[in-house]
Amino acid sequence: MPHRIASSMTTGHVLDMFGDGLEASGIAYSLWDAEDKLVAYNDIYVRMFFTGFEQLVELGQTFERQNARWGEQKAAMIQVSDLEDQVAERLKRHHEPKGSFERRIDDRWIRSQEIPTVDGGLLSIHTDITYEKERENAAREGERRFRSLVENLHNIVFCRGIRGEDQHGYDGGGSQVFGRDSERLFGRVDESGRSLLDDWYAAIHPDDRARYLAAETARKRAGRPFNLEFRFAHPDTGQFRWAREVAWVVEDKELGRTYLDSYLIDITDTKVREAELSRSRAELTLAIQQADAASRAKSAFLASMSHELRTPLNAVIGFGQVIAMEKVGPGVAPAYRDYGQAIVESGEHLLNLISDILDLSKVEAGKMEINESDFRIAEAIAEVRRLLGDQIGNRLQTLGFELPREEVWLRADRRRILQILINLIGNASKYSPLGGVIVLRCRLRPDGGLELLVIDEGSGMTHAEIEVALTLFGQAAAGRSHNSGTGLGLPLARTMTELHGGQMLIESVKGRGTTIRVVLPPERVRAESGHEEGQLRLSLG
């Protein structure tokens, strides 16, 4: 209710006295007399409603005339479908003042109030509330988004309370719970959505309760956030389930409030999966340990048996050579010489198999080592030719070899390099037709490394067969008559190449042959000039 006494002071006098204050406060005003003619206004009034067409504001003009001219000017400037309605509504509010009202003009929000004066006139007060509206809209949109989020989240609830002085550290409103699954997951919420805190604290597992309450107390008293996992009794089943609560504090200095916010997630299913995964890992670890133990035992057995077999086998081969060469009792029947040669060949074949198995046991035990020395690659290739001469000659095959023009030295394990070449060329011979050609090509790489290529015209392999051939005991052409051996030649050759820091690559076309490339790194190669021009040399056997 306004308070006043009888006075000769008019509204105009008041504006004269307080107009500067209204101007400084950003408030626009216009004063209309009893005949509804404009008798006073300030600059803010013009800027607020008539920017760009200030000439429409004229003292002595009626409000109805000014309002109509304002509508005409707006219609010429912008397309507004309900402009006529706006003009009519504004005139009605002016003639029938009923407190304050809000309207949007262009991109601004204005709050207006029409106040009748004692002399029958009208004082219009206008305030720009655009910023206030923007804040309201932002807050409203934030609330809509928040509600949309929490009402559609599954297996999660959001809690908000205001710090206060009640027994739980909240104000009288307690902790409000939001979320579609709050009752199903955690229960203990009253009809207004507030948490029944005594029931909730009692539901927490006794082993976890002290830790939880200590974290809650530290948050409420010192603003310390927490992230806890704990067990609680489900309200329906009574069974203990797992939850995670992440809690923090929000200070609102404008409102002078401290919000206690948190969210809770039921993580029981995650805990069950973690337990199952942990159990599976333990079982897998045990199985791996048992497999490793069995593998070591197998490797130890193979190594032991290989040594045990090689000693008598060497004796068998030796006596077979004595018989074949007629060192004792010459002049025996030719069949006996053939029997002796067969004993030697079978013994040597068996000895090679045992050597491969012994190398395999070293590989699996991680004990295969290389004994490095410096040697000429040409000498190693010559020795390979000598060692494989009989095998290649017996199949009427031709072995060609090509050396670079430089004299190449290797820093490597000579015996392992020989074994690599013997395995690869032996395989090439085995899978090549009678009378076929096998080429061993040695060449320097641009980076200073060395390539050893074994090229044959044999049966070739598909990509899948290459994968099989590179596995231990794998044989790409199983079932063929010439496919004897353990299936260890290629895997061992690759392992010994990698021990030297190199790599072994296989290119093959089914039915057209195979090229195996052994690449050794530059640090193992030294080339000296003076060797004759590289050329392809062929030999039979």
Side-chain angles (χ1 to χ4, degrees), residues 335-379:
Y336 282 92
R337 289 196 298 273
D338 295 339
Y339 296 157
Q341 185 62 35
I343 292 172
V344 172
E345 291 176 354
S346 298
E348 289 177 342
H349 177 68
L350 185 56
L351 185 60
N352 289 332
L353 297 182
I354 292 172
S355 297
D356 283 347
I357 293 174
L358 184 59
D359 285 335
L360 170 64
S361 66
K362 290 179 181 178
V363 169
E364 291 185 334
K367 294 182 179 179
M368 178 173 278
E369 299 175 350
I370 56 175
N371 299 311
E372 296 181 351
S373 64
D374 294 321
F375 60 92
R376 293 182 181 88
I377 189 63
E379 295 176 354

Side-chain angles (χ1 to χ4, degrees), residues 268-335:
T268 306
D269 293 342
T270 301
K271 284 291 185 179
V272 170
R273 286 193 295 270
E274 286 178 356
E276 292 174 350
L277 181 60
S278 178
R279 185 166 54 252
S280 298
R281 284 175 176 168
E283 293 173 353
L284 179 60
T285 299
L286 179 60
I288 290 173
Q289 291 172 346
Q290 292 173 342
D292 286 344
S295 179
R296 287 193 296 271
K298 178 198 70 176
S299 298
F301 171 76
L302 290 175
S304 174
M305 289 302 298
S306 296
H307 284 296
E308 292 294 329
L309 290 171
R310 291 177 80 170
T311 301
L313 189 55
N314 282 324
V316 171
I317 293 172
F319 286 124
Q321 290 172 337
V322 168
I323 295 172
M325 299 172 65
E326 299 185 35
K327 295 290 186 180
V328 178
V332 298

Side-chain angles (χ1 to χ4, degrees), residues 412-461:
D413 187 324
R414 189 175 189 278
R415 186 170 74 88
R416 298 300 183 192
I417 295 296
L418 287 176
Q419 190 172 356
I420 292 171
L421 293 176
I422 289 171
N423 284 359
L424 298 183
I425 296 174
N427 265 6
S429 173
K430 182 168 60 175
Y431 290 103
S432 292
L434 295 175
V437 176
I438 302 163
V439 176
L440 170 59
R441 181 173 294 152
C442 174
R443 64 188 184 194
L444 290 170
R445 291 168 57 85
D447 64 357
L450 184 71
E451 280 186 347
L452 297 169
L453 295 90
V454 177
I455 306 167
D456 67 54
E457 301 172 337
S459 56
M461 294 179 285

Side-chain angles (χ1 to χ4, degrees), residues 107-119:
D107 59 347
R108 313 297 295 173
W109 277 93
I110 307 298
R111 178 181 291 128
S112 300
Q113 186 170 6
E114 310 274 45
I115 305 171
T117 63
V118 293
D119 54 3

